[in-house]
Amino acid sequence: MYKRNNNQLLWVLAVGLVLALSGCSGTYYSAMEKVGIHKRDIMVDRVEGARDAQEDAQEQFKSALEQFNSVVQLEETDIKRAYDKLNSEFEASVEVADEVRSRIDKVEDVAEDLFAEWEEELEMYQNRELRNSSREKLQKTRARYREMLSSMRQAEKSMDPVLRIFQDNVLYLKHNLNAQAIGSLQGEFASLKGEIDRLVSKMNQSIEESNRFIEHIK
């Protein structure tokens, strides 16, 4: 993450809030550059944010699976409380999924701006060797970025089947607060576990790609 003194941090936060509300990315980048924070720095920060959001999502989905497992083993008298807990886990899972998607979108936004600026600045070189070297660096960085983004999007998509299964079963339990409903959920546990295992695997791959990209671009 960025390293700044307290005055810089307060100024950046204030500017960031105003510009986020206005939606003007060009002005935002200019303001950040005035305090020594460039698009490359912003991109690293956002990749780290997306990586951390995926780590949080993994933990949340694991927690949701544990709660689901505990529900299918409950006695009939615990069903209403079980529904409340399961629904809370579902809502938390939706929230972390939305955060992952938002973080990935922000990475994509700054990447497009960074690479566009890099392309334009290649034409400013007078020295051909330096320009060619910079162009080669751009091509490698862009290739690594595409690999990382592809991995992020795959991880993002892996959340969808988990949320669909989870939502269906939460709704079914809500509409059928009885022992028979619990019995129906038991058959869904293996399917949900399989999807969450795939999700965790995809996110681990994405996290590894993110770390590799951060090392490359720093």
Side-chain angles (χ1 to χ4, degrees), residues 58-84:
Q58 284 183 322
E59 294 306 312
Q60 172 55 40
F61 282 113
K62 288 177 183 177
S63 172
L65 182 64
E66 291 175 1
Q67 186 64 46
F68 193 97
N69 187 41
S70 69
V71 165
V72 299
Q73 299 179 39
L74 287 173
E75 299 295 331
E76 183 177 358
T77 54
D78 297 315
I79 292 176
K80 177 61 172 66
R81 185 175 63 176
Y83 163 74
D84 291 338

PDB file of all heavy atoms in Angstrom, residues 58-84:
ATOM      1  N   GLN A  58     -12.735 -16.268   0.430  1.00  0.00           N
ATOM      2  CA  GLN A  58     -12.472 -17.672   0.731  1.00  0.00           C
ATOM      3  C   GLN A  58     -12.898 -18.021   2.154  1.00  0.00           C
ATOM      4  O   GLN A  58     -13.571 -19.036   2.385  1.00  0.00           O
ATOM      5  CB  GLN A  58     -10.982 -17.974   0.574  1.00  0.00           C
ATOM      6  CG  GLN A  58     -10.502 -18.094  -0.860  1.00  0.00           C
ATOM      7  CD  GLN A  58      -9.026 -18.457  -0.910  1.00  0.00           C
ATOM      8  OE1 GLN A  58      -8.224 -17.979  -0.109  1.00  0.00           O
ATOM      9  NE2 GLN A  58      -8.657 -19.308  -1.843  1.00  0.00           N
ATOM     10  N   GLU A  59     -12.489 -17.185   3.084  1.00  0.00           N
ATOM     11  CA  GLU A  59     -12.814 -17.444   4.483  1.00  0.00           C
ATOM     12  C   GLU A  59     -14.322 -17.406   4.723  1.00  0.00           C
ATOM     13  O   GLU A  59     -14.876 -18.209   5.478  1.00  0.00           O
ATOM     14  CB  GLU A  59     -12.099 -16.429   5.388  1.00  0.00           C
ATOM     15  CG  GLU A  59     -10.594 -16.559   5.386  1.00  0.00           C
ATOM     16  CD  GLU A  59     -10.133 -17.955   5.730  1.00  0.00           C
ATOM     17  OE1 GLU A  59     -10.637 -18.518   6.736  1.00  0.00           O
ATOM     18  OE2 GLU A  59      -9.293 -18.514   5.000  1.00  0.00           O
ATOM     19  N   GLN A  60     -14.993 -16.456   4.079  1.00  0.00           N
ATOM     20  CA  GLN A  60     -16.440 -16.344   4.256  1.00  0.00           C
ATOM     21  C   GLN A  60     -17.170 -17.564   3.696  1.00  0.00           C
ATOM     22  O   GLN A  60     -18.077 -18.105   4.325  1.00  0.00           O
ATOM     23  CB  GLN A  60     -16.971 -15.071   3.595  1.00  0.00           C
ATOM     24  CG  GLN A  60     -18.486 -14.966   3.553  1.00  0.00           C
ATOM     25  CD  GLN A  60     -19.123 -15.116   4.931  1.00  0.00           C
ATOM     26  OE1 GLN A  60     -18.614 -14.608   5.916  1.00  0.00           O
ATOM     27  NE2 GLN A  60     -20.251 -15.815   5.000  1.00  0.00           N
ATOM     28  N   PHE A  61     -16.771 -18.013   2.511  1.00  0.00           N
ATOM     29  CA  PHE A  61     -17.437 -19.164   1.914  1.00  0.00           C
ATOM     30  C   PHE A  61     -17.169 -20.438   2.714  1.00  0.00           C
ATOM     31  O   PHE A  61     -18.039 -21.307   2.817  1.00  0.00           O
ATOM     32  CB  PHE A  61     -17.025 -19.323   0.456  1.00  0.00           C
ATOM     33  CG  PHE A  61     -17.716 -18.363  -0.473  1.00  0.00           C
ATOM     34  CD1 PHE A  61     -17.014 -17.363  -1.125  1.00  0.00           C
ATOM     35  CD2 PHE A  61     -19.082 -18.454  -0.688  1.00  0.00           C
ATOM     36  CE1 PHE A  61     -17.661 -16.474  -1.976  1.00  0.00           C
ATOM     37  CE2 PHE A  61     -19.741 -17.568  -1.540  1.00  0.00           C
ATOM     38  CZ  PHE A  61     -19.025 -16.575  -2.182  1.00  0.00           C
ATOM     39  N   LYS A  62     -15.983 -20.553   3.273  1.00  0.00           N
ATOM     40  CA  LYS A  62     -15.685 -21.701   4.138  1.00  0.00           C
ATOM     41  C   LYS A  62     -16.572 -21.660   5.383  1.00  0.00           C
ATOM     42  O   LYS A  62     -17.089 -22.693   5.824  1.00  0.00           O
ATOM     43  CB  LYS A  62     -14.210 -21.690   4.537  1.00  0.00           C
ATOM     44  CG  LYS A  62     -13.246 -22.039   3.412  1.00  0.00           C
ATOM     45  CD  LYS A  62     -11.805 -21.924   3.891  1.00  0.00           C
ATOM     46  CE  LYS A  62     -10.805 -22.183   2.772  1.00  0.00           C
ATOM     47  NZ  LYS A  62      -9.404 -21.995   3.236  1.00  0.00           N
ATOM     48  N   SER A  63     -16.723 -20.465   5.936  1.00  0.00           N
ATOM     49  CA  SER A  63     -17.588 -20.293   7.103  1.00  0.00           C
ATOM     50  C   SER A  63     -19.034 -20.649   6.764  1.00  0.00           C
ATOM     51  O   SER A  63     -19.734 -21.298   7.553  1.00  0.00           O
ATOM     52  CB  SER A  63     -17.507 -18.850   7.614  1.00  0.00           C
ATOM     53  OG  SER A  63     -18.460 -18.602   8.625  1.00  0.00           O
ATOM     54  N   ALA A  64     -19.470 -20.233   5.576  1.00  0.00           N
ATOM     55  CA  ALA A  64     -20.837 -20.527   5.146  1.00  0.00           C
ATOM     56  C   ALA A  64     -21.043 -22.035   4.994  1.00  0.00           C
ATOM     57  O   ALA A  64     -22.100 -22.567   5.361  1.00  0.00           O
ATOM     58  CB  ALA A  64     -21.124 -19.820   3.827  1.00  0.00           C
ATOM     59  N   LEU A  65     -20.030 -22.708   4.461  1.00  0.00           N
ATOM     60  CA  LEU A  65     -20.135 -24.157   4.299  1.00  0.00           C
ATOM     61  C   LEU A  65     -20.231 -24.853   5.654  1.00  0.00           C
ATOM     62  O   LEU A  65     -21.018 -25.787   5.832  1.00  0.00           O
ATOM     63  CB  LEU A  65     -18.924 -24.683   3.527  1.00  0.00           C
ATOM     64  CG  LEU A  65     -18.927 -26.189   3.247  1.00  0.00           C
ATOM     65  CD1 LEU A  65     -20.088 -26.553   2.326  1.00  0.00           C
ATOM     66  CD2 LEU A  65     -17.596 -26.622   2.613  1.00  0.00           C
ATOM     67  N   GLU A  66     -19.445 -24.388   6.618  1.00  0.00           N
ATOM     68  CA  GLU A  66     -19.500 -24.961   7.962  1.00  0.00           C
ATOM     69  C   GLU A  66     -20.889 -24.760   8.577  1.00  0.00           C
ATOM     70  O   GLU A  66     -21.438 -25.662   9.228  1.00  0.00           O
ATOM     71  CB  GLU A  66     -18.430 -24.321   8.847  1.00  0.00           C
ATOM     72  CG  GLU A  66     -17.002 -24.702   8.463  1.00  0.00           C
ATOM     73  CD  GLU A  66     -15.955 -23.950   9.278  1.00  0.00           C
ATOM     74  OE1 GLU A  66     -16.368 -23.151  10.157  1.00  0.00           O
ATOM     75  OE2 GLU A  66     -14.759 -24.146   9.032  1.00  0.00           O
ATOM     76  N   GLN A  67     -21.446 -23.578   8.366  1.00  0.00           N
ATOM     77  CA  GLN A  67     -22.780 -23.294   8.905  1.00  0.00           C
ATOM     78  C   GLN A  67     -23.818 -24.173   8.230  1.00  0.00           C
ATOM     79  O   GLN A  67     -24.734 -24.692   8.879  1.00  0.00           O
ATOM     80  CB  GLN A  67     -23.123 -21.821   8.705  1.00  0.00           C
ATOM     81  CG  GLN A  67     -24.416 -21.393   9.363  1.00  0.00           C
ATOM     82  CD  GLN A  67     -24.340 -21.519  10.884  1.00  0.00           C
ATOM     83  OE1 GLN A  67     -23.379 -21.108  11.500  1.00  0.00           O
ATOM     84  NE2 GLN A  67     -25.360 -22.111  11.483  1.00  0.00           N
ATOM     85  N   PHE A  68     -23.684 -24.356   6.926  1.00  0.00           N
ATOM     86  CA  PHE A  68     -24.612 -25.203   6.170  1.00  0.00           C
ATOM     87  C   PHE A  68     -24.554 -26.637   6.705  1.00  0.00           C
ATOM     88  O   PHE A  68     -25.575 -27.296   6.896  1.00  0.00           O
ATOM     89  CB  PHE A  68     -24.243 -25.173   4.686  1.00  0.00           C
ATOM     90  CG  PHE A  68     -25.290 -25.745   3.781  1.00  0.00           C
ATOM     91  CD1 PHE A  68     -26.193 -24.923   3.140  1.00  0.00           C
ATOM     92  CD2 PHE A  68     -25.364 -27.113   3.557  1.00  0.00           C
ATOM     93  CE1 PHE A  68     -27.169 -25.452   2.303  1.00  0.00           C
ATOM     94  CE2 PHE A  68     -26.326 -27.657   2.724  1.00  0.00           C
ATOM     95  CZ  PHE A  68     -27.238 -26.818   2.092  1.00  0.00           C
ATOM     96  N   ASN A  69     -23.344 -27.104   6.950  1.00  0.00           N
ATOM     97  CA  ASN A  69     -23.161 -28.463   7.466  1.00  0.00           C
ATOM     98  C   ASN A  69     -23.801 -28.617   8.841  1.00  0.00           C
ATOM     99  O   ASN A  69     -24.401 -29.651   9.156  1.00  0.00           O
ATOM    100  CB  ASN A  69     -21.669 -28.796   7.533  1.00  0.00           C
ATOM    101  CG  ASN A  69     -21.422 -30.250   7.895  1.00  0.00           C
ATOM    102  OD1 ASN A  69     -22.116 -31.150   7.416  1.00  0.00           O
ATOM    103  ND2 ASN A  69     -20.431 -30.489   8.728  1.00  0.00           N
ATOM    104  N   SER A  70     -23.656 -27.588   9.661  1.00  0.00           N
ATOM    105  CA  SER A  70     -24.247 -27.667  11.006  1.00  0.00           C
ATOM    106  C   SER A  70     -25.767 -27.666  10.941  1.00  0.00           C
ATOM    107  O   SER A  70     -26.429 -28.313  11.756  1.00  0.00           O
ATOM    108  CB  SER A  70     -23.752 -26.502  11.873  1.00  0.00           C
ATOM    109  OG  SER A  70     -24.287 -25.268  11.429  1.00  0.00           O
ATOM    110  N   VAL A  71     -26.319 -26.968   9.960  1.00  0.00           N
ATOM    111  CA  VAL A  71     -27.774 -26.902   9.819  1.00  0.00           C
ATOM    112  C   VAL A  71     -28.363 -28.266   9.473  1.00  0.00           C
ATOM    113  O   VAL A  71     -29.393 -28.674  10.029  1.00  0.00           O
ATOM    114  CB  VAL A  71     -28.160 -25.864   8.748  1.00  0.00           C
ATOM    115  CG1 VAL A  71     -29.619 -26.035   8.323  1.00  0.00           C
ATOM    116  CG2 VAL A  71     -27.947 -24.457   9.272  1.00  0.00           C
ATOM    117  N   VAL A  72     -27.730 -28.981   8.554  1.00  0.00           N
ATOM    118  CA  VAL A  72     -28.312 -30.255   8.104  1.00  0.00           C
ATOM    119  C   VAL A  72     -28.250 -31.327   9.191  1.00  0.00           C
ATOM    120  O   VAL A  72     -28.833 -32.407   9.032  1.00  0.00           O
ATOM    121  CB  VAL A  72     -27.616 -30.772   6.825  1.00  0.00           C
ATOM    122  CG1 VAL A  72     -27.779 -29.774   5.702  1.00  0.00           C
ATOM    123  CG2 VAL A  72     -26.148 -31.083   7.079  1.00  0.00           C
ATOM    124  N   GLN A  73     -27.570 -31.036  10.290  1.00  0.00           N
ATOM    125  CA  GLN A  73     -27.476 -32.007  11.386  1.00  0.00           C
ATOM    126  C   GLN A  73     -28.331 -31.613  12.601  1.00  0.00           C
ATOM    127  O   GLN A  73     -28.255 -32.240  13.648  1.00  0.00           O
ATOM    128  CB  GLN A  73     -26.016 -32.158  11.814  1.00  0.00           C
ATOM    129  CG  GLN A  73     -25.110 -32.658  10.696  1.00  0.00           C
ATOM    130  CD  GLN A  73     -23.660 -32.771  11.131  1.00  0.00           C
ATOM    131  OE1 GLN A  73     -23.357 -33.165  12.242  1.00  0.00           O
ATOM    132  NE2 GLN A  73     -22.759 -32.403  10.238  1.00  0.00           N
ATOM    133  N   LEU A  74     -29.131 -30.563  12.450  1.00  0.00           N
ATOM    134  CA  LEU A  74     -29.898 -30.048  13.583  1.00  0.00           C
ATOM    135  C   LEU A  74     -31.163 -30.861  13.866  1.00  0.00           C
ATOM    136  O   LEU A  74     -31.708 -31.533  12.983  1.00  0.00           O
ATOM    137  CB  LEU A  74     -30.319 -28.602  13.311  1.00  0.00           C
ATOM    138  CG  LEU A  74     -29.207 -27.551  13.389  1.00  0.00           C
ATOM    139  CD1 LEU A  74     -29.750 -26.228  12.926  1.00  0.00           C
ATOM    140  CD2 LEU A  74     -28.679 -27.437  14.804  1.00  0.00           C
ATOM    141  N   GLU A  75     -31.626 -30.724  15.087  1.00  0.00           N
ATOM    142  CA  GLU A  75     -32.926 -31.272  15.456  1.00  0.00           C
ATOM    143  C   GLU A  75     -34.023 -30.294  15.028  1.00  0.00           C
ATOM    144  O   GLU A  75     -33.771 -29.114  14.802  1.00  0.00           O
ATOM    145  CB  GLU A  75     -32.994 -31.482  16.974  1.00  0.00           C
ATOM    146  CG  GLU A  75     -31.969 -32.460  17.510  1.00  0.00           C
ATOM    147  CD  GLU A  75     -32.183 -33.871  17.010  1.00  0.00           C
ATOM    148  OE1 GLU A  75     -33.367 -34.217  16.723  1.00  0.00           O
ATOM    149  OE2 GLU A  75     -31.199 -34.630  16.893  1.00  0.00           O
ATOM    150  N   GLU A  76     -35.229 -30.777  14.946  1.00  0.00           N
ATOM    151  CA  GLU A  76     -36.349 -29.986  14.456  1.00  0.00           C
ATOM    152  C   GLU A  76     -36.551 -28.701  15.265  1.00  0.00           C
ATOM    153  O   GLU A  76     -36.876 -27.654  14.710  1.00  0.00           O
ATOM    154  CB  GLU A  76     -37.630 -30.816  14.476  1.00  0.00           C
ATOM    155  CG  GLU A  76     -38.830 -30.079  13.917  1.00  0.00           C
ATOM    156  CD  GLU A  76     -40.067 -30.956  13.877  1.00  0.00           C
ATOM    157  OE1 GLU A  76     -39.972 -32.142  14.247  1.00  0.00           O
ATOM    158  OE2 GLU A  76     -41.129 -30.436  13.492  1.00  0.00           O
ATOM    159  N   THR A  77     -36.331 -28.730  16.569  1.00  0.00           N
ATOM    160  CA  THR A  77     -36.583 -27.559  17.400  1.00  0.00           C
ATOM    161  C   THR A  77     -35.619 -26.417  17.111  1.00  0.00           C
ATOM    162  O   THR A  77     -35.850 -25.286  17.531  1.00  0.00           O
ATOM    163  CB  THR A  77     -36.452 -27.943  18.885  1.00  0.00           C
ATOM    164  OG1 THR A  77     -35.176 -28.568  19.099  1.00  0.00           O
ATOM    165  CG2 THR A  77     -37.557 -28.909  19.295  1.00  0.00           C
ATOM    166  N   ASP A  78     -34.535 -26.690  16.402  1.00  0.00           N
ATOM    167  CA  ASP A  78     -33.530 -25.662  16.120  1.00  0.00           C
ATOM    168  C   ASP A  78     -33.687 -25.022  14.732  1.00  0.00           C
ATOM    169  O   ASP A  78     -32.865 -24.218  14.335  1.00  0.00           O
ATOM    170  CB  ASP A  78     -32.120 -26.267  16.210  1.00  0.00           C
ATOM    171  CG  ASP A  78     -31.802 -26.783  17.599  1.00  0.00           C
ATOM    172  OD1 ASP A  78     -32.090 -26.086  18.575  1.00  0.00           O
ATOM    173  OD2 ASP A  78     -31.268 -27.898  17.667  1.00  0.00           O
ATOM    174  N   ILE A  79     -34.708 -25.405  14.019  1.00  0.00           N
ATOM    175  CA  ILE A  79     -34.792 -25.039  12.601  1.00  0.00           C
ATOM    176  C   ILE A  79     -34.899 -23.534  12.376  1.00  0.00           C
ATOM    177  O   ILE A  79     -34.223 -22.984  11.504  1.00  0.00           O
ATOM    178  CB  ILE A  79     -35.976 -25.760  11.923  1.00  0.00           C
ATOM    179  CG1 ILE A  79     -35.665 -27.263  11.872  1.00  0.00           C
ATOM    180  CG2 ILE A  79     -36.180 -25.235  10.509  1.00  0.00           C
ATOM    181  CD1 ILE A  79     -36.799 -28.098  11.320  1.00  0.00           C
ATOM    182  N   LYS A  80     -35.727 -22.833  13.127  1.00  0.00           N
ATOM    183  CA  LYS A  80     -35.880 -21.386  12.907  1.00  0.00           C
ATOM    184  C   LYS A  80     -34.558 -20.674  13.155  1.00  0.00           C
ATOM    185  O   LYS A  80     -34.158 -19.806  12.352  1.00  0.00           O
ATOM    186  CB  LYS A  80     -36.956 -20.831  13.859  1.00  0.00           C
ATOM    187  CG  LYS A  80     -37.147 -19.318  13.762  1.00  0.00           C
ATOM    188  CD  LYS A  80     -37.587 -18.896  12.365  1.00  0.00           C
ATOM    189  CE  LYS A  80     -37.972 -17.409  12.328  1.00  0.00           C
ATOM    190  NZ  LYS A  80     -36.820 -16.523  12.571  1.00  0.00           N
ATOM    191  N   ARG A  81     -33.884 -21.006  14.225  1.00  0.00           N
ATOM    192  CA  ARG A  81     -32.598 -20.384  14.510  1.00  0.00           C
ATOM    193  C   ARG A  81     -31.578 -20.763  13.442  1.00  0.00           C
ATOM    194  O   ARG A  81     -30.747 -19.950  13.042  1.00  0.00           O
ATOM    195  CB  ARG A  81     -32.096 -20.807  15.890  1.00  0.00           C
ATOM    196  CG  ARG A  81     -30.817 -20.088  16.307  1.00  0.00           C
ATOM    197  CD  ARG A  81     -30.420 -20.436  17.720  1.00  0.00           C
ATOM    198  NE  ARG A  81     -30.111 -21.867  17.857  1.00  0.00           N
ATOM    199  CZ  ARG A  81     -29.667 -22.412  18.979  1.00  0.00           C
ATOM    200  NH1 ARG A  81     -29.539 -21.668  20.072  1.00  0.00           N
ATOM    201  NH2 ARG A  81     -29.404 -23.694  19.034  1.00  0.00           N
ATOM    202  N   ALA A  82     -31.670 -21.989  12.957  1.00  0.00           N
ATOM    203  CA  ALA A  82     -30.754 -22.446  11.904  1.00  0.00           C
ATOM    204  C   ALA A  82     -30.944 -21.617  10.635  1.00  0.00           C
ATOM    205  O   ALA A  82     -29.967 -21.221   9.984  1.00  0.00           O
ATOM    206  CB  ALA A  82     -30.995 -23.916  11.591  1.00  0.00           C
ATOM    207  N   TYR A  83     -32.202 -21.361  10.294  1.00  0.00           N
ATOM    208  CA  TYR A  83     -32.466 -20.538   9.115  1.00  0.00           C
ATOM    209  C   TYR A  83     -31.854 -19.152   9.262  1.00  0.00           C
ATOM    210  O   TYR A  83     -31.224 -18.635   8.332  1.00  0.00           O
ATOM    211  CB  TYR A  83     -33.974 -20.401   8.857  1.00  0.00           C
ATOM    212  CG  TYR A  83     -34.262 -19.257   7.925  1.00  0.00           C
ATOM    213  CD1 TYR A  83     -33.989 -19.354   6.563  1.00  0.00           C
ATOM    214  CD2 TYR A  83     -34.747 -18.033   8.424  1.00  0.00           C
ATOM    215  CE1 TYR A  83     -34.212 -18.279   5.711  1.00  0.00           C
ATOM    216  CE2 TYR A  83     -34.977 -16.968   7.586  1.00  0.00           C
ATOM    217  CZ  TYR A  83     -34.692 -17.086   6.225  1.00  0.00           C
ATOM    218  OH  TYR A  83     -34.890 -16.027   5.393  1.00  0.00           O
ATOM    219  N   ASP A  84     -32.042 -18.540  10.412  1.00  0.00           N
ATOM    220  CA  ASP A  84     -31.500 -17.193  10.637  1.00  0.00           C
ATOM    221  C   ASP A  84     -29.984 -17.167  10.462  1.00  0.00           C
ATOM    222  O   ASP A  84     -29.426 -16.261   9.847  1.00  0.00           O
ATOM    223  CB  ASP A  84     -31.876 -16.697  12.038  1.00  0.00           C
ATOM    224  CG  ASP A  84     -33.362 -16.419  12.171  1.00  0.00           C
ATOM    225  OD1 ASP A  84     -34.017 -16.202  11.138  1.00  0.00           O
ATOM    226  OD2 ASP A  84     -33.860 -16.438  13.320  1.00  0.00           O
TER     227      ASP A  84
END
